[in-house]
Amino acid sequence: MKRFAVVAVVLALVAAGCDETLNPATPTPGQVTLASNLSGAANVPPASSLEAGSTGTLSVVMTPAAGGAYSADFSFQIGGLVKAGVLPAPLNGGSVIVAGYVHQGSAGAVGPPVVQLPISLQAPIVTPDGTVLLTLSGVQVSAAAASAILSNPSGFYFNLYSALNQNGVIRGQLAKR
């Protein structure tokens, strides 16, 4: 019985090691990951009303594309937004995120947008439970914007806009991970 237990342990260790050997995680050459801690308080001016306490995290994986451009996958998780049923119609479905951008600008400053996310009045994000967990894949980033962002990520910020906070509901400066 002891031999069986020893053999089982050895086989389990070999099997665990084989997965790493057979399926190594190979990053795409030139791929860069950026991250940010998001909050309504970081917005300029700070988010107000029922969305003032919004917080979240952001991860952006930028993958090289043709001609110096990049393709970016934006993954964000946000809480503290309005839940369905709190506001009167037509906003009674929860917070409605109507736009998203990466802007050029340092903390506390407002700057021009350089990357637009595929969020709009025609394609909003509605938060019936007051949270968002979403990945937007394949967002195109021009060569000029990618070069600027990657050379100085902290000089850029991520910003989402809602129907209640049209100057921005949540914001965070970018940083290389």
Side-chain angles (χ1 to χ4, degrees):
M1 192 64 165
K2 288 182 184 180
R3 279 189 223 173
F4 177 72
V6 170
V7 170
V9 168
V10 169
L11 287 175
L13 291 173
V14 169
C18 285
D19 184 54
E20 191 66 31
T21 304
L22 296 175
N23 298 312
T26 306
T28 301
Q31 192 173 62
V32 177
T33 301
L34 304 171
S36 183
N37 289 316
L38 307 171
S39 75
N43 202 69
V44 178
S48 61
S49 72
L50 298 172
E51 297 172 325
S54 58
T55 60
T57 58
L58 167 74
S59 175
V60 183
V61 177
M62 294 182 60
T63 304
Y70 277 71
S71 175
D73 297 338
F74 287 78
S75 298
F76 47 92
Q77 182 173 4
I78 301 167
L81 298 169
V82 179
K83 295 181 181 179
V86 173
L87 295 171
L91 299 175
N92 59 343
S95 285
V96 179
I97 307 298
V98 296
Y101 299 94
V102 172
H103 292 265
Q104 184 173 8
S106 58
V110 176
V114 296
V115 178
Q116 182 176 358
L117 277 67
I119 306 168
S120 66
L121 286 171
Q122 295 74 31
I125 300 169
V126 181
T127 65
D129 66 355
T131 65
V132 175
L133 176 58
L134 184 64
T135 297
L136 299 171
S137 298
V139 175
Q140 298 305 304
V141 181
S142 71
S147 176
I149 291 168
L150 295 176
S151 67
N152 180 24
S154 65
F156 293 83
Y157 62 94
F158 175 80
N159 212 174
L160 291 177
Y161 300 81
S162 73
L164 288 177
N165 283 281
Q166 294 180 11
N167 288 323
V169 65
I170 197 161
R171 173 183 167 151
Q173 296 300 127
L174 299 178
K176 277 189 184 174
R177 189 183 299 164

